[in-house]
């Protein structure tokens, strides 16, 4: 898979390194000469250019990318890059970084964003997740408002403790995608049981989150 990352700062470089380790092709784009640190990610392609300009994106051959990540520290830049990637080059998946929580409402499919990642929200969610058992914590939003990645640690007294995944009547528009148990990541099957202390990861629509929390015995 070929991935273009607009913004070659610390965040962009970290994403690039992870993707390269997983066998993907990565192009890093930044308009600042100071950000072009080829020695830090030598296996990536680098382009010194303004990712908000069509000519630069033509040079980047964005039409050959399956994913574009708008990871700059400027929300305006990330929105423009997302819109151009989707509308001008038909990139199948666009991921955008949200720097300021007040701008979160803009990062939706109208601006070409498929997945919006809010750093402040994610950090606060991880803090909540670390200290709260039984609370449903929203970690990420997919296509603004349509679906969220949520997590809940099953309390000791949860009514579903010991139940098989396949026997639970989950709310509509809900998918249990992973169970974190004793340091292991389990891909759930219908025969797996739910155990107190399990961290359950769901993709669910926002309007069923309360129903899901109540079913799991959350607060």
């Amino acid at each position: 898979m070929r991935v273009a990352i607009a913004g070659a700062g610390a965040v962009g470089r970290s994403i690039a390194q992870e993707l390269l380790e997983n066998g993907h092709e990565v192009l890093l784009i930044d308009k600042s000469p100071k950000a072009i640190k080829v020695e830090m990610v030598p296996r990536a392609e680098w382009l010194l250019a303004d990712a908000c300009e069509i000519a630069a994106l033509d040079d980047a051959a964005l039409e050959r990318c399956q994913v574009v990540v708008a990871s700059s520290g400027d929300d305006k830049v990330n929105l423009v890059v997302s819109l151009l990637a989707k509308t001008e080059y038909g990139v199948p998946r666009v991921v955008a970084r949200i720097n300021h929580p007040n701008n979160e409402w803009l990062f939706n499919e109208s601006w070409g964003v498929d997945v919006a990642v809010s750093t402040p929200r994610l950090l606060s969610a991880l803090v909540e997740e670390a200290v709260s058992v039984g609370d449903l914590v929203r970690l990420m939003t997919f296509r603004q408002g349509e679906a969220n990645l949520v997590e809940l640690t099953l309390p000791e007294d949860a009514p579903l403790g010991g139940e098989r995944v396949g026997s639970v009547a989950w709310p509509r528009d809900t998918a249990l995608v992973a169970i974190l148990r004793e340091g292991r990541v389990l891909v759930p099957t219908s025969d797996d049981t739910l155990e107190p202390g399990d961290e359950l990861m769901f993709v669910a629509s926002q309007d069923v989150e309360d129903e899901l929390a109540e079913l799991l015995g959350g607060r």
Side-chain angles (χ1 to χ4, degrees):
M1 182 170 69
R2 179 174 171 81
V3 183
I5 301 173
V11 173
R13 293 195 304 270
S14 295
I15 296 170
Q17 288 170 338
E18 187 75 19
L19 291 171
L20 287 164
E21 288 297 323
N22 290 331
H24 302 295
E25 299 178 33
V26 176
L27 168 65
L28 281 159
I29 308 170
D30 206 296
K31 68 178 181 179
S32 171
K34 292 181 179 180
I36 306 300
K37 300 179 179 180
V38 178
E39 70 283 358
M40 298 191 72
V41 194
R43 289 192 292 149
E45 298 176 51
W46 289 79
L47 179 63
L48 176 61
D50 187 345
C52 291
E53 295 182 356
I54 291 288
L57 299 181
D58 285 343
D59 290 340
L62 220 65
E63 69 279 358
R64 295 198 294 113
C65 294
Q66 287 74 50
V67 180
V68 164
V69 181
S71 68
S72 83
D74 188 325
D75 285 344
K76 296 188 294 296
V77 170
N78 292 342
L79 285 169
V80 172
V81 170
S82 298
L83 185 62
L84 291 175
K86 184 65 71 174
T87 59
E88 296 296 325
Y89 298 92
V91 176
R93 191 161 186 81
V94 177
V95 180
R97 171 188 177 189
I98 305 172
N99 295 279
H100 197 294
N102 289 347
N103 297 329
E104 191 170 341
W105 65 278
L106 287 166
F107 285 75
N108 55 39
E109 59 184 341
S110 298
W111 280 91
V113 178
D114 295 306
V115 179
V117 181
S118 171
T119 304
R121 170 180 281 186
L122 184 57
L123 288 173
S124 63
L126 290 172
V127 170
E128 290 182 42
E129 186 272 336
V131 299
S132 302
V133 173
D135 286 341
L136 193 73
V137 179
R138 188 182 304 166
L139 299 177
M140 188 182 297
T141 297
F142 302 97
R143 286 192 181 274
Q144 187 73 8
E146 289 187 15
N148 299 313
L149 177 66
V150 298
E151 182 271 352
L152 183 139
T153 299
L154 208 59
E156 288 294 329
D157 58 351
L160 292 183
E163 291 286 333
R164 292 172 53 253
V165 171
S167 68
V168 179
W170 301 109
R172 72 187 191 286
D173 300 330
T174 299
L176 176 62
V177 295
I179 300 173
L180 281 63
R181 179 183 298 160
E182 298 178 350
R184 297 175 57 214
V185 178
L186 308 176
V187 178
T189 68
S190 59
D191 291 327
D192 286 323
T193 57
L194 301 174
E195 299 179 8
D198 283 351
E199 293 185 51
L200 307 178
M201 311 290 290
F202 295 89
V203 174
S205 62
Q206 184 171 338
D207 58 358
V208 301
E209 287 182 4
D210 290 343
E211 184 181 348
L212 180 60
E214 184 176 353
L215 173 68
L216 294 168
R219 294 186 290 273

